[in-house]
Amino acid sequence: MKNIKIYVLSFLVITFASLFFAACNNDGSDPSQTSVMRVRLADAPGDYKEVNLDVRDIMIKSNTNTDDQGWVSIGNLPAEGKIYNMLTLTGGVSALLADKVVPSGYLGQIRLLLGDKNTVVLKDGTSYPLNTPSAQQSGLKLNVNQTLMAGATYDFLLDLDVAHSIVVQAGTSGNYNLHPVVKVSTSATSGVIKGTIANIAVAKQVLASVVVGTETVSAYANVEGVFQLNGIPAGTYIVTLTPDPTSGLLIKTIPGVIVVNGETTTMTSVSL
């Protein structure tokens, strides 16, 4: 009886994967061609001691329809999920959530599925549960809208903006809610700016930022003074470094920082 269940489950998995392969090739691409897809998780840190996310799965879909049809799991995660302290995933450090061969063709969405064991630890050590009702029900759906070319490897980075993702509920309840603000980027269409604040102990907390069109991409430096700005399209930028107001240091701008798609631009060490 056990073997029969295994065979049935295997058949369902193969059938589901086959349907996804067919869906991915609605644009006429060759279904025998594949790409390698890696999905990593990183953080633009906020003013907390810990932010722990209960990650259950990574899923992909070949279109941008809002329904729950056509999703396929590609996660490299245990069945019970895994807890990640997002504040350890800074300064270029990331967690590998998926590394799979997928059919080449159009990729519409990535879904980050969270569990119910998310917590936030404040600077004083007090821990609170993070309420994430929408993520628990259907997962955070992120539009990608990219065609995966046969034989190519794509590194997708899910960059969680912790500072804008955690909301304290109004009133006296003291509840903390998680409304994930995540930016998706891939090395095929963007680059990275990485730098180090030499006097981070004096500057305390430093916010690095660049303006990309009408959007500002920012990240705090970690305790070693390292910051990383992900998902920056090719071009020349001005990097702004804003120290903690209590440090007494001035804001500093670094012009002429050149970004190349698929590469990391490492700035020289900066003192504020």
Side-chain angles (χ1 to χ4, degrees), residues 88-106:
T88 66
L89 304 179
T90 61
V93 178
S94 61
L96 182 64
L97 304 182
D99 186 359
K100 291 290 178 68
V101 175
V102 301
S104 302
Y106 184 74

Side-chain angles (χ1 to χ4, degrees), residues 27-110:
D27 60 355
S29 57
D30 185 351
S32 66
Q33 295 182 323
T34 59
S35 308
V36 175
M37 181 174 173
R38 301 189 184 111
V39 180
R40 301 177 186 275
L41 182 65
D43 171 42
D47 196 19
Y48 303 98
K49 187 173 182 180
E50 294 180 14
V51 175
N52 301 302
L53 291 194
D54 177 13
V55 181
R56 298 297 175 90
D57 202 1
I58 288 291
M59 309 179 81
I60 58 175
K61 188 175 183 179
S62 63
N63 57 58
T64 56
N65 295 343
T66 57
D67 57 46
D68 280 332
Q69 305 300 314
W71 288 100
V72 174
S73 171
I74 63 167
N76 293 346
L77 296 161
E80 67 277 11
K82 187 172 180 179
I83 304 293
Y84 294 93
N85 177 8
M86 296 303 300
L87 298 191
T88 66
L89 304 179
T90 61
V93 178
S94 61
L96 182 64
L97 304 182
D99 186 359
K100 291 290 178 68
V101 175
V102 301
S104 302
Y106 184 74
L107 176 65
Q109 300 175 75
I110 295 176

Side-chain angles (χ1 to χ4, degrees), residues 21-262:
F21 267 66
C24 280
N25 289 282
N26 288 336
D27 60 355
S29 57
D30 185 351
S32 66
Q33 295 182 323
T34 59
S35 308
V36 175
M37 181 174 173
R38 301 189 184 111
V39 180
R40 301 177 186 275
L41 182 65
D43 171 42
D47 196 19
Y48 303 98
K49 187 173 182 180
E50 294 180 14
V51 175
N52 301 302
L53 291 194
D54 177 13
V55 181
R56 298 297 175 90
D57 202 1
I58 288 291
M59 309 179 81
I60 58 175
K61 188 175 183 179
S62 63
N63 57 58
T64 56
N65 295 343
T66 57
D67 57 46
D68 280 332
Q69 305 300 314
W71 288 100
V72 174
S73 171
I74 63 167
N76 293 346
L77 296 161
E80 67 277 11
K82 187 172 180 179
I83 304 293
Y84 294 93
N85 177 8
M86 296 303 300
L87 298 191
T88 66
L89 304 179
T90 61
V93 178
S94 61
L96 182 64
L97 304 182
D99 186 359
K100 291 290 178 68
V101 175
V102 301
S104 302
Y106 184 74
L107 176 65
Q109 300 175 75
I110 295 176
R111 176 193 271 183
L112 175 65
L113 189 63
L114 301 180
D116 58 1
K117 298 178 181 178
N118 307 291
T119 60
V120 58
V121 180
L122 306 186
K123 287 294 185 67
D124 64 3
T126 307
S127 179
Y128 293 92
L130 278 174
N131 302 312
T132 54
S134 62
Q136 293 170 26
Q137 293 169 12
S138 62
L140 180 65
K141 300 172 184 177
L142 307 165
N143 287 329
V144 177
N145 300 320
Q146 183 168 338
T147 299
L148 306 183
M149 305 301 293
T153 297
Y154 293 83
D155 283 291
F156 288 90
L157 184 68
L158 309 185
D159 197 355
L160 178 73
D161 186 347
V162 164
H164 294 93
S165 296
I166 298 176
V167 179
V168 183
Q169 191 174 21
T172 59
S173 64
N175 291 335
Y176 285 78
N177 297 326
L178 179 64
H179 298 283
V181 176
V182 179
K183 181 179 180 181
V184 184
S185 61
T186 174
S187 60
T189 58
S190 64
V192 173
I193 297 175
K194 187 172 184 178
T196 303
I197 308 301
N199 58 336
I200 189 65
V202 178
K204 299 180 181 179
Q205 194 172 56
V206 176
L207 181 69
S209 62
V210 296
V211 176
V212 181
T214 59
E215 177 187 8
T216 299
V217 178
S218 61
Y220 285 101
N222 63 16
V223 293
E224 285 79 32
V226 179
F227 65 86
Q228 182 163 309
L229 300 168
N230 301 304
I232 311 298
T236 302
Y237 297 91
I238 298 173
V239 175
T240 300
L241 303 174
T242 306
D244 190 297
T246 62
S247 69
L249 299 176
L250 300 177
I251 296 174
K252 191 167 188 174
T253 57
I254 312 296
V257 179
I258 299 173
V259 175
V260 178
N261 288 343

